[in-house]
Every structure is written in C-alpha cells, then in structure tokens.
Amino acid sequence: MGNSSLLFIFLSIFVLFNGCLARSQFQTECQLDRLNAREPDDRIESEAGVIEIWNPNHDQFQCAGVALVRKTIERNGLSLPEFTNAPQLVYVVQGRGFYVVVTPGCAETFQESTQQGQRLQDQHQKIRRIREGDVIAVPAGVPYWSYNDGYRPLVVVKLLDTSNIQNQLDQFPRAFHLAGNPQEELRQLQKYLQQGQEHQQSYRRKEQEECNNIFCGFETRTLAEAFNVDVTTVRKLQSQNDKRGSIVKVKHEDLQVIAPPRMSAEEEERIERHGHHSINGVEETICSMRLQENIGDPQRADIYSPQVGHISTLNSNKLPVLRQLRLSAERGALYRNGMMVPHWNQNAHSIMYVIRGSARIQVVDNLGQKVFDDRVRNGQVLTLPQNYAVVKHAESEGFDWISFKTNDNAIINPLAGKTSAIRAIPEEVLANAFRISREEARRIKFNAQETTLTSTSARRV
C-alpha cells in the first residue's frame, strides 16, 4: 500500500513538472473575469483562398499562450511554404489534399525513375495526404506547405503554441515565408504587435517593404552564388510585386508532384488501424516519424454512446511526436440534448473550436463565479483555462468540436458520474461537507452511472 502511494505521488509530480517545464518561458497571469466565444477578427484574401485570424492579444489567448488561424484553400489552391516560431496542431475541418512537412537534411525518398541520357528528374521528400478529421503535428521552425486536390474547399484550423519551450522568441506568432509576397498578412502582424505593450517600441519604426519573403533581405548576388543560378532567377525567388498573397492558384489542372495514387477511405482506414500501432516512438527517426492521425471517425472513439455522442483523444501515447510538441487534441460530438458532464482540465488549457452545431457552455472559476454562460456556435473559439470547471450541453442540431490542449497527455477530471471525484469521496465526508443526510450523499454518489457523456432529455426537476 505504501509503495503504491509513493508511486502515485511520484507520477503526479512527474506529470505536473513536465507540463510546467514546457510552458514556463512566457508564463502569463490568467486573471479572467469573463470569457467570450470569439470569431475571427480579421480576414485576408489571397488569389486561391482565405486566411482568418483571431487576435492573439485577447486575454483568453494570452492566458493560454496560444494563437489561432483558420485557412480555406480553394480547389487547385497552393498554400505557399512557410515555417513558424511555435509548434502547431492542425485539424482538417473539411476537404482533402496534401499537407507536407519538410524536414531539412532528410532523404528525398520520392523520386522519378531516370534513364541514361535523360535530364535530371525530380525528387523530393514524402508527400502526405490529408482528409477530414486528420490532426497534423508541425514542430517549430520546420517548413510546410499544403495543396487542395479535392473538389471542395480545404478548410483547416490550426493552433500555434507560442508559450511552448520550442519558441525561443517572444510570445507572439510569427510566420517566416519561403515564397510569395504576403504583404497583407504582415501588415496585420504589425498591427497586432503594436497592440501589445512589449512590442510597441520595436515595431513602430518598421515600414512595409515591397518584398516580404525570407529571401528578400539577402543581396541578389549572394543568393545567386548560394543557389548557383543567375540573378534574374533570384529576383523571381524574392517575388517582388507578386500580388497573389500566400495561397495561389496552380497553373495546371493538377499539381505535378510525385505521390502514390489516392487511396479509398476503406484503405486509409485499414492502414490507420493496423499499420501504425507497432510504432512506439523508439523506432521512429526524425525523418520517418509519423506526424498525423485521424480522430474524426466515431468507430475509433475512446468514449462512445449511441444515444449521446462520442469523444476521441489524441495524445503522445498514440502519436509520439506530440511528446516533443507538448500538445494533444480532443475531438467530440454531442447529439441533440447530449451533455458532457461537469469536469475540469487537470494539467492543460483547452482551446475549443466549434466545427458545427451549437451548445450552451458554462465555465466556473476558482471563486465559484461563472465566467462564461452562453451559447457557442459554428466557427467560434472558446478558451477553457486549466482547472476551470466546464459543462457542455448540445442544442437541437447537435454539437461538434475540436479542442487543442497544452499538454501532450492532457487529463480531464469529471465532477459527476461513475469516475468522478465526488464518487471517490466517502458518504460520511460528503454528508458533513454539504450538510446533507447519508441517503442524499449516497444518491449524489451513485445515481449517475455514466462516466463522461449523458443525456438531459429526461432531466430530473
């Protein structure tokens, strides 16, 4: 018994220490008297898509140390290569296509066959296909690009964990563009930076340039020597006077890359079910590590009720790269009148994006005060701070969400139900704590037999 207690205490301290270590660099105060469900603050249009940005200066995003972006890529649209100062989790809300993470130094394993006497054929790193329900992990400072080869717009929402230890700059999202001329995006960045007190002095003096990708700051001759090309070609790299934005239309009907044929949904499901679970993280190298997992399929849910809904979680046990990013995700769906019982996030902030439908959400702080009691709907974001108690109650059309969490093994603790803290407390303690009878304490403990999801259609009065 004593050894078990010591082991539990050790594991608890280990989990909490690692969670704090990953986010200690830019720790901010979370003095939130009121939470708000936020829609994007700004919309930036490109030639073949739209980027929508939530202002990272909002109190709830500052508390969690994160930033959010939603990107819509039209058919045959190419989102140009870039990298960021913070690790990202990307969720595919709609559509399918490519989302390719490029790891410099790794082998170019996708190659065209060559014959003697032919010109040099193309070769590049692995092309990863994505579909609705996928989560993609992108480390800080690693380039990525995406392309929509489907028939519907490709919509992704991504969280940037600016408080993560991988970010050695300041607590502000920064994208470093390898191509294009994203003037409007950078103007928006300057506006947000000027709103923040820490950055007001250093950024006020900077003026917008005509060329804004990362090659623009170098002399053309230096780049010509580095790439062993002529100066005219280098000027095209710098994309001066390019007005297309950061999502451009591909000239040809389809992007010409080396990629395996698109698999059917059944084939993808079979590979996901049987092809990955032998990987434990030790066998994975930087070049071959798995960066994505689908959590949109109800058949793979961790918690499932045919009458109420389902929840799928993605943590570092399922996707080992998340251990480096210190992030995880939760995909949930509640049917009509379904409820996720009151609970709190033990070791992480939770940033919830509404995929579809609507719900009434209540959030309570450490003073027992409601900091949020309102309806959230499709496209809105709500931050649920660590340890704040929350309940989700779906409305008539149901409620689907994705939550990004700031710990690679985020834990939720229910307040009611079979696995709750209340259930674990002796009846006599409950009776004295709430000034109720033993019989009432017994009903509070044992009447609710569900663990996480329940229906409110037959609610007691």
Side-chain angles (χ1 to χ4, degrees), residues 81-86 88 139-144 174-178 214:
E82 64 182 12
F83 59 90
T84 62
N85 62 321
Q88 302 178 57
V142 174
Y144 58 92
R174 298 174 188 267
F176 296 80
H177 299 269
L178 293 179
I214 204 166

Side-chain angles (χ1 to χ4, degrees), residues 338-359:
M339 183 173 74
M340 187 172 180
V341 300
H343 62 278
W344 73 92
N345 291 281
Q346 175 180 316
N347 57 350
H349 299 302
S350 178
I351 299 85
M352 180 182 68
Y353 173 83
V354 183
I355 298 172
R356 62 181 65 90
S358 61

Side-chain angles (χ1 to χ4, degrees), residues 195-245:
Q195 290 174 359
Q197 294 297 321
E198 296 176 23
H199 312 285
Q200 197 165 8
Q201 297 294 326
S202 61
Y203 259 78
R204 184 171 290 168
R205 65 177 181 269
K206 294 192 177 182
E207 298 180 359
Q208 191 74 26
E209 303 289 344
E210 290 300 316
C211 175
N212 296 115
N213 72 46
I214 204 166
F215 293 114
C216 297
F218 293 104
E219 293 181 356
T220 54
R221 182 171 296 180
T222 300
L223 291 176
E225 292 173 352
F227 283 97
N228 194 22
V229 296
D230 57 55
V231 172
T232 301
T233 302
V234 166
R235 291 198 179 101
K236 294 178 181 179
L237 274 181
Q238 294 175 327
S239 304
Q240 294 186 24
N241 301 316
D242 187 342
K243 306 298 183 184
R244 297 176 299 167

Side-chain angles (χ1 to χ4, degrees), residues 129-410:
R129 291 191 177 273
I130 57 169
R131 61 187 175 95
E132 183 176 322
D134 276 350
V135 175
I136 306 101
V138 184
V142 174
Y144 58 92
W145 58 269
S146 50
Y147 174 69
N148 180 4
D149 70 342
Y151 294 98
R152 294 197 300 166
L154 174 61
V155 181
V156 300
V157 59
K158 59 181 184 178
L159 173 134
L160 293 88
D161 185 13
T162 53
S163 288
N164 195 286
I165 198 169
Q166 287 193 14
N167 176 19
Q168 299 294 306
L169 296 177
D170 50 30
Q171 191 177 347
F172 205 86
R174 298 174 188 267
F176 296 80
H177 299 269
L178 293 179
N181 189 20
Q183 289 183 318
E184 187 59 34
E185 290 177 55
L186 294 177
R187 267 194 286 267
Q188 196 60 55
L189 171 65
Q190 284 193 349
K191 185 182 82 171
Y192 289 152
L193 282 169
Q194 288 172 3
Q195 290 174 359
Q197 294 297 321
E198 296 176 23
H199 312 285
Q200 197 165 8
Q201 297 294 326
S202 61
Y203 259 78
R204 184 171 290 168
R205 65 177 181 269
K206 294 192 177 182
E207 298 180 359
Q208 191 74 26
E209 303 289 344
E210 290 300 316
C211 175
N212 296 115
N213 72 46
I214 204 166
F215 293 114
C216 297
F218 293 104
E219 293 181 356
T220 54
R221 182 171 296 180
T222 300
L223 291 176
E225 292 173 352
F227 283 97
N228 194 22
V229 296
D230 57 55
V231 172
T232 301
T233 302
V234 166
R235 291 198 179 101
K236 294 178 181 179
L237 274 181
Q238 294 175 327
S239 304
Q240 294 186 24
N241 301 316
D242 187 342
K243 306 298 183 184
R244 297 176 299 167
S246 61
I247 307 174
V248 303
K249 193 78 171 177
V250 170
K251 290 182 179 180
H252 307 289
E253 184 176 345
D254 290 309
L255 191 70
Q256 302 299 310
V257 296
I258 308 165
R262 178 188 291 175
M263 293 183 293
S264 66
E266 291 77 14
E267 289 175 312
E268 289 179 347
E269 177 67 19
R270 178 178 57 80
I271 289 176
E272 286 179 356
R273 282 180 178 274
H274 304 293
H276 294 322
H277 295 289
S278 61
I279 298 174
N280 63 14
V282 176
E283 294 89 345
E284 291 184 326
T285 66
I286 293 175
C287 297
S288 63
M289 70 170 58
R290 193 160 50 92
L291 298 177
Q292 71 188 71
E293 180 82 14
N294 192 282
I295 58 173
D297 187 351
Q299 295 185 24
R300 304 179 65 198
D302 298 301
I303 300 170
Y304 179 78
S305 168
Q307 293 80 30
V308 183
H310 55 87
I311 294 176
S312 298
T313 57
L314 181 63
N315 57 30
S316 58
N317 295 318
K318 297 179 181 178
L319 191 62
V321 68
L322 295 179
R323 190 170 294 111
Q324 298 178 27
L325 273 60
R326 307 294 177 94
L327 294 170
S328 58
E330 171 191 274
R331 171 68 167 85
L334 293 173
Y335 307 144
R336 180 176 182 177
N337 294 323
M339 183 173 74
M340 187 172 180
V341 300
H343 62 278
W344 73 92
N345 291 281
Q346 175 180 316
N347 57 350
H349 299 302
S350 178
I351 299 85
M352 180 182 68
Y353 173 83
V354 183
I355 298 172
R356 62 181 65 90
S358 61
R360 183 188 175 195
I361 308 289
Q362 297 179 65
V363 184
V364 178
D365 67 7
N366 62 301
L367 300 176
Q369 303 296 313
K370 281 188 292 188
V371 293
F372 187 84
D373 184 4
D374 207 346
R375 179 177 180 264
V376 296
R377 62 182 185 276
N378 177 33
Q380 291 185 321
V381 168
L382 180 65
T383 300
L384 306 173
Q386 178 185 5
N387 296 158
Y388 281 42
V390 57
V391 62
K392 303 180 177 83
H393 180 198
E395 296 188 334
S396 58
E397 66 268 44
F399 178 60
D400 286 43
W401 76 91
I402 177 75
S403 288
F404 303 104
K405 303 198 175 188
T406 58
N407 191 302
D408 62 290
N409 274 299

Side-chain angles (χ1 to χ4, degrees), residues 102-109 124-125 285-288:
V102 179
T103 308
C106 291
E108 297 157 343
T109 55
H124 52 69
Q125 288 186 11
T285 66
I286 293 175
C287 297
S288 63

